[in-house]
Amino acid sequence: MSIEVRNVNKRFGDFVALDNVSVNIPTGQLTALLGPSGGGKSTLLRIIAGLEFADTGLVEIEGQDVTHLPPQKRNVGFVFQHYAAFKHMSVARNIAFGIEIRKRPKAEVKARVAELLALVHLTQFADRLPGQLSGGQRQRMALARALAVEPTVLLLDEPFGALDSKVRKELRDWLRRLHDEVSVTTVLVTHDQDEALEVADDIVVINDGRIEQIGTPDQLYDAPANEFVMGFLGPVTRLRGQLVRPHDLEMFAADPGGAAFGQITRVNRVGFEVRVELTVGDEVVLVTMTRTHYHALGLDVGATAWVRAAAGAPTVGNPASHPLTGPVSEPVPG
Amino acid sequence: MTDAAVLDRDEPFSAPSPTPELGRRPSRNRSPRAVRYVFRFLVVGYLFMVVAWPVSLVAKQTFAHGLSSIRTALDDRLVTSALRLTAYVSVVAVIINLVFGVGMSLILVRRRFPGRRILSALIDLPLSVSPVVVGLALVLTYNRRDGFFGKTLEAHGYKILFANPGIIMATVFVSLPLMIREIVPVLEEIGTDQEQAARSLGASPMQTFRRITLPSIKWAVVYGVVLSLARALGEFGAVKIVAGNVAGKTQTATLIVEQTYQDFHQDTAYATSFMLAFVAVACIVVVTIIRPKEHV
Amino acid sequence: MTVASFDDATTTTSALASRPAGGSSRKRRAPRTGALTLGSGLGLGVGMIWFSLLVLIPLTAVVVKAQAGGWDAYWKTITNPQTWAAIKLTVEQSLIVTLVNVVMGTLIAWVLVRDDFFGKRALEVVIDVPFALPTIVAGLVLLSLYGPRSPIGINVANTQKAVFLALAFVTVPFVVRTVQPVLEQLDLEAEEAALSLGASKFTTFRRIVLPSLAPAIGAGAALSFARAISEYGSLVLLSGNLALRTEVTSVRILTYIENGNTASASAVASTLLLISLAVIVLVDIAQRRIARRD
């Protein structure tokens, strides 16, 4: 294991940022720490980097106990959400900083900087100041700066959070390809489930200072451990007390057997997708389907429809005591 | 989609907030404890030796014999008349600076005209001019023998130098930029959006100023007044030159401190100093307390 | 005079350091503004007349008076041994005081921003006291601790040390108040980035923090120097004004005035004005460098 975190606790005054957190992060993988803001994921990352120290617990990097080591002795690369550019230094000098600190020969520094500039596609901007770059370019510079010291682990704290969505998506793809190329152990903090699902080999879901689930994107998506994880990874709706994804629901014009029924209260079409709201008892259930499928059903607002989860669809929660229908009027075949 | 249809989540789609996670600040970037203590010691030590201790000694000297030296000072007709003059001059100077400062700030920030940049730079000039030079400049211009304006004014019976107008002018001169320096940044910060909104809602320029602009620069004006007042009460060099130092007539409080000290009435000097220092420190404390704590 | 190149940066940020205007020193985008209207034009006119009568014409009169006797007379006044000694002393002591302020002022700002302890708020008040205290009182204040009746047995009255002390007292706020807001807005993450890249605390300070503070320190130093060379009130009682030994430039000008020699007074005064003006230009350049970086 490249990074091992054991029983780490961290409080800021009365606020419990991390509550007995343990996690292993495998070598060479890209692991995402996913969770809502203030959930403790950034604190965990900063504790791994040595920018924050755990109240109790242990942190190991490549087998070495670094719990009390200052950041400059951990050989980690850290990339910040707001770039943390050295504003008074050119792009090249920014990237060279870590290598210069290590007193490498001038020629070596120069060669390494050139190599990294090429890697992050900033060669023609080498002599610019960070203030003259776009956000995406600055973040690439920051990444090159972190990689320059050949870190044991690369830690990214919401690296694309300050960028607009288009650039964010581009950089996300680029980061994945970069990681496949350099394959340094990477930990990415994000609150964006799409980012985590798309980029990461493994995802650690953190909420309220506790780990909710650890697994591959598929495991998390297909077998969420609890309502929080399921809810955090994408839209969900509730049918007979169970949490289920709206696109995993099947809707019928006639009773297929074992389905709940209710009245269609709202229909909203967005592009190819049709979102249907069904009032089942005291629940409003959201069902999404393709436009074609919806037209084939021939249903409209006010009609009665039957709904059930598709076979094999992941659900969370106990369906137990919920009846098939609530106080709705007599079912009228649609 | 209604809210009911989708479970409340932590809005994973929304843009991330740039605010740092709760309560993280305090432990960030702390220097090692030993370094912190050394720095603290140096800073407190320096300020104590250079500022705090000497200033506190004035209070001690003044009250060494209880209230007697204050009483002696206040029984001295020359001291009381000097204090009255200083109070009068300061109030007049602050009012002049208030009108000039607010008006000039508004024009400098909200209007474009040729020479605006030069003017905004020149307005700062009085702060870096020696009080003695200020006095000299006023003497050269307003003396009645060969002064640029002095001769004409004298011919019409106006006396500037060695009289209250001169003292007021010297005081206004040295405190002139203080008000503008407080107001201009605030005016630039708030922009014109609110004013334009008010105008679009039918407010007249006067109503807009009174109900939108004035409330937002209120604190800046208050600081400006307090700082100008402190500066005005304490002006010495410039006033010394233009006032002529006629005891009981054109002698201000700071001038009486010098004179009584040199005449070996040190108790009176200390007592008067204490009164001036008390007002000055009170001004600073008031400003520190009422200043909004935006960046703490 | 090369003031034509100035803009608002001088007004908004150089801040005489007297005290930060509450908000950030960062400059916002210029608000939409209009041309002069009848009312504002009239206001500007009245304001300009007042400003001219009070500041511009009198200061010009000083320069004109200094020029009246020609270059030779000017040079003769400046090189008069007593005057020259005063200028030399003033500039020397001002430079030393400025140096002390650069170090102590930065340190004080650092402690105020980065440290937290009981009584920090009182320290804020103490720093502003020299700005608000009447200068003659400042002299008296220093005399009570460092004069003939000193309770700690240190008597520097009527020596050059007294000049240094008085200048150090009155210039305490300048560097602190220019550096403090910049330090407050400094990107903490840049320092953390440097640490994570292997830089020590000291290297981080030297290579990341100090370059960011340098323009502000420079501006504060310039203001502190300008104030020091023009100081008068606090020296009157403390330095003894001994010719050739403890007499500073301002005192020298006053002596000329009292002797009715306004021409010589003007010569020395315009030299001071020139230095002040140079300092304002320097401050402006420093401020522009801060603004450009963001």
Side-chain angles (χ1 to χ4, degrees):
Chain A
M1 286 297 165
S2 182
I3 304 172
E4 178 148 2
V5 173
R6 239 181 296 155
N7 306 111
V8 162
N9 285 285
K10 178 74 182 173
R11 300 168 68 104
F12 297 109
D14 288 340
F15 178 74
V16 179
L18 293 175
D19 183 6
N20 202 26
V21 165
S22 297
V23 61
N24 293 324
I25 290 167
T27 304
Q29 300 276 68
L30 201 165
T31 305
L33 304 182
L34 176 67
S37 306
K41 55 195 192 310
S42 282
T43 306
L44 179 58
L45 194 76
R46 293 171 59 82
I47 286 176
I48 296 172
L51 297 173
E52 212 74 74
F53 291 90
D55 299 335
T56 59
L58 190 82
V59 181
E60 282 182 5
I61 297 178
E62 296 290 355
Q64 189 198 358
D65 181 358
V66 298
T67 313
H68 303 290
L69 224 54
Q72 59 266 38
K73 300 212 171 114
R74 296 196 185 195
N75 199 38
V76 294
F78 201 103
V79 174
F80 297 83
Q81 180 178 354
H82 298 286
Y83 328 121
F86 302 149
K87 287 177 190 159
H88 58 288
M89 296 182 187
S90 70
V91 171
R93 293 291 310 279
N94 261 275
I95 297 175
F97 185 84
I99 329 174
E100 282 177 357
I101 293 289
R102 285 168 174 71
K103 306 244 191 304
R104 312 311 299 226
K106 274 228 164 67
E108 188 189 322
V109 175
K110 219 177 151 194
R112 182 97 181 105
V113 169
E115 187 188 322
L116 283 157
L117 280 167
L119 184 72
V120 298
H121 309 298
L122 286 175
T123 306
Q124 69 269 42
F125 299 112
D127 297 322
R128 297 246 184 121
L129 287 175
Q132 299 165 297
L133 299 184
S134 72
Q137 289 168 332
R138 265 184 253 186
Q139 200 53 296
R140 268 150 47 202
M141 176 195 84
L143 209 62
R145 186 177 68 183
L147 287 171
V149 299
E150 297 181 355
T152 324
V153 291
L154 181 62
L155 307 172
L156 313 169
D157 189 0
E158 299 269 10
F160 314 131
L163 304 170
D164 64 54
S165 62
K166 190 162 166 287
V167 180
R168 204 188 307 179
K169 184 120 183 45
E170 279 168 18
L171 270 185
R172 196 194 285 170
D173 295 343
W174 176 81
L175 174 70
R176 182 64 235 188
R177 275 181 277 122
L178 184 81
H179 181 263
D180 293 340
E181 225 173 291
V182 292
S183 68
V184 53
T185 308
T186 304
V187 184
L188 166 80
V189 159
T190 179
H191 67 275
D192 179 344
Q193 78 283 1
D194 285 343
E195 193 165 292
L197 291 171
E198 205 177 309
V199 178
D201 298 313
D202 286 304
I203 299 177
V204 179
V205 182
I206 302 180
N207 182 39
D208 272 343
R210 279 186 305 272
I211 291 181
E212 301 278 356
Q213 191 174 3
I214 303 176
T216 64
D218 285 352
Q219 284 168 349
L220 255 58
Y221 202 81
D222 294 340
N226 54 36
E227 292 196 349
F228 177 82
V229 174
M230 186 161 188
F232 201 75
L233 287 185
V236 286
T237 187
R238 205 176 274 282
L239 175 65
R240 299 173 62 205
Q242 276 191 313
L243 214 56
V244 60
R245 299 207 166 86
H247 60 258
D248 279 341
L249 288 176
E250 292 177 323
M251 199 168 81
F252 303 93
D255 187 2
F261 66 91
Q263 203 171 24
I264 296 178
T265 39
R266 203 173 145 201
V267 176
N268 182 18
R269 188 192 147 185
V270 182
F272 68 87
E273 192 183 69
V274 177
R275 300 170 181 170
V276 180
E277 271 178 35
L278 206 62
T279 306
V280 179
D282 54 356
E283 284 177 335
V284 177
V285 182
L286 178 73
V287 185
T288 59
M289 63 196 83
T290 61
R291 194 173 66 96
T292 331
H293 190 156
Y294 176 71
H295 283 309
L297 285 171
L299 293 169
D300 211 338
V301 176
T304 303
W306 279 260
V307 65
R308 71 175 182 206
T315 56
V316 178
N318 188 355
S321 57
H322 285 73
L324 287 180
T325 182
V328 197
S329 57
E330 191 75 354
V332 184
Chain B
M1 281 188 215
T2 60
D3 291 340
V6 173
L7 270 198
D8 280 346
R9 286 176 300 136
D10 202 319
E11 298 187 28
F13 292 110
S14 71
S17 71
T19 48
E21 282 186 26
L22 251 158
R24 200 206 280 152
R25 289 271 144 174
S27 65
R28 287 179 79 163
N29 290 58
R30 277 294 190 84
S31 314
R33 190 179 293 259
V35 175
R36 272 206 330 269
Y37 284 171
V38 171
F39 284 2
R40 227 183 265 179
F41 175 79
L42 282 173
V43 163
V44 173
Y46 182 78
L47 290 175
F48 181 74
M49 291 307 289
V50 175
V51 184
W53 196 5
V55 172
S56 69
L57 274 185
V58 169
K60 209 180 141 214
Q61 303 261 20
T62 306
F63 295 109
H65 312 290
L67 287 173
S68 72
S69 45
I70 293 266
R71 213 172 290 134
T72 314
L74 288 178
D75 283 344
D76 187 335
R77 198 188 53 80
L78 293 182
V79 173
T80 49
S81 82
L83 286 173
R84 261 200 305 275
L85 179 61
T86 290
Y88 166 72
V89 164
S90 303
V91 168
V92 173
V94 166
I95 291 171
I96 292 173
N97 274 337
L98 181 67
V99 174
F100 179 80
V102 173
M104 221 46 173
S105 302
L106 281 170
I107 292 170
L108 278 175
V109 176
R110 295 283 188 257
R111 301 287 157 193
R112 288 293 172 274
F113 53 91
R116 189 182 129 270
R117 290 178 159 196
I118 304 177
L119 181 61
S120 107
L122 283 177
I123 278 184
D124 277 350
L125 200 59
L127 281 179
S128 38
V129 175
S130 170
V132 175
V133 177
V134 173
L136 172 66
L138 291 175
V139 164
L140 287 178
T141 317
Y142 294 101
N143 78 73
R144 60 193 170 125
R145 204 161 32 79
D146 59 353
F148 204 72
F149 297 123
K151 268 191 291 189
T152 328
L153 288 169
E154 180 74 17
H156 289 82
Y158 294 106
K159 199 163 150 67
I160 303 279
L161 290 183
F162 314 119
N164 286 354
I167 302 175
I168 290 170
M169 283 180 85
T171 310
V172 171
F173 189 119
V174 295
S175 53
L176 179 110
L178 296 175
M179 195 80 71
I180 294 171
R181 276 175 170 280
E182 294 295 320
I183 300 172
V184 162
V186 178
L187 275 179
E188 282 179 345
E189 193 95 7
I190 58 171
T192 53
D193 292 356
Q194 296 176 54
E195 288 167 25
Q196 281 171 353
R199 295 301 297 276
S200 78
L201 293 169
S204 71
M206 201 54 218
Q207 284 172 317
T208 309
F209 175 74
R210 218 186 58 231
R211 300 181 59 161
I212 306 295
T213 316
L214 203 55
S216 43
I217 60 171
K218 188 173 63 187
W219 287 120
V221 173
V222 172
Y223 306 149
V225 165
V226 170
L227 292 174
S228 302
L229 187 68
R231 189 79 176 83
L233 287 174
E235 184 42 38
F236 172 68
V239 167
K240 183 176 177 180
I241 293 168
V242 298
N245 215 351
V246 182
K249 273 190 76 188
T250 62
Q251 199 170 39
T252 63
T254 49
L255 295 175
I256 208 126
V257 170
E258 184 195 24
Q259 199 204 311
T260 49
Y261 187 85
Q262 282 169 348
D263 293 347
F264 302 102
H265 298 301
Q266 298 195 340
D267 284 352
T268 306
Y270 274 112
T272 313
S273 285
F274 174 80
M275 288 186 267
L276 284 172
F278 184 81
V279 177
V281 173
C283 282
I284 288 300
V285 171
V286 165
V287 169
T288 309
I289 290 170
I290 64 177
R291 178 170 51 186
K293 293 157 194 72
E294 292 160 50
H295 55 275
V296 173
Chain C
M1 293 198 195
T2 53
V3 281
S5 63
F6 282 37
D7 72 358
D8 307 336
T10 326
T11 340
T12 54
T13 53
S14 65
L16 146 105
S18 62
R19 63 186 18 267
S24 69
S25 67
R26 189 167 295 176
K27 239 182 109 183
R28 293 287 172 94
R29 79 197 141 80
R32 265 166 290 168
T33 46
L36 287 175
T37 57
L38 184 66
S40 58
L42 213 63
L44 179 64
V46 173
M48 276 313 295
I49 291 172
W50 172 236
F51 188 62
S52 305
L53 285 175
L54 186 68
V55 178
L56 296 182
I57 295 170
L59 287 183
T60 312
V62 173
V63 179
V64 168
K65 186 84 181 176
Q67 291 295 311
W71 178 251
D72 284 344
Y74 173 82
W75 192 244
K76 219 177 131 199
T77 308
I78 298 296
T79 50
N80 165 295
Q82 195 180 342
T83 307
W84 185 244
I87 294 176
K88 198 161 152 276
L89 172 73
T90 311
V91 172
E92 261 173 22
Q93 292 301 322
S94 299
L95 282 176
I96 298 172
V97 159
T98 303
L99 206 66
V100 170
N101 278 327
V102 163
V103 177
M104 286 315 295
T106 308
L107 194 62
I108 293 169
W110 181 271
V111 168
L112 286 181
V113 174
R114 292 291 174 89
D115 203 352
D116 208 359
F117 51 91
F118 179 77
K120 203 175 91 168
R121 208 119 166 86
L123 225 53
E124 292 266 8
V125 175
V126 169
I127 288 159
D128 281 334
V129 164
F131 178 75
L133 211 61
T135 48
I136 184 82
V137 178
L140 197 67
V141 153
L142 290 170
L143 209 52
S144 63
L145 184 58
Y146 301 106
R149 284 158 58 184
S150 167
I152 49 172
I154 301 175
N155 181 5
V156 297
N158 310 337
T159 69
Q160 294 196 353
K161 287 198 190 78
V163 176
F164 168 83
L165 197 62
L167 299 186
F169 181 93
V170 297
T171 55
V172 160
F174 293 85
V175 174
V176 181
R177 293 303 185 211
T178 41
V179 171
Q180 197 179 10
V182 180
L183 198 54
E184 269 164 1
Q185 286 180 6
L186 219 55
D187 184 5
L188 287 178
E189 291 187 343
E191 288 168 56
E192 293 181 340
L195 290 174
S196 78
L197 290 167
S200 65
K201 283 262 175 195
F202 179 72
T203 309
T204 305
F205 178 77
R206 191 172 55 87
R207 297 206 36 189
I208 306 299
V209 180
L210 207 53
S212 312
L213 295 184
I217 296 175
L223 291 164
S224 136
F225 183 76
R227 174 68 202 264
I229 58 161
S230 53
E231 183 53 24
Y232 170 68
S234 62
L235 292 160
V236 174
L237 299 180
L238 192 59
S239 77
N241 308 323
L242 308 172
L244 299 170
R245 281 187 44 219
T246 65
E247 192 182 45
V248 296
T249 317
S250 293
V251 175
R252 190 79 195 112
I253 296 174
L254 193 81
T255 313
Y256 277 131
I257 297 173
E258 281 170 347
N259 295 341
N261 187 352
T262 48
S264 295
S266 299
V268 184
S270 47
T271 311
L272 274 188
L273 274 177
L274 198 73
I275 299 176
S276 297
L277 210 66
V279 163
I280 294 184
V281 172
L282 278 177
V283 170
D284 189 61
I285 292 170
Q287 296 292 344
R288 275 159 186 277
R289 282 191 57 185
I290 299 177
R292 211 176 43 212
R293 230 177 247 164
D294 288 327

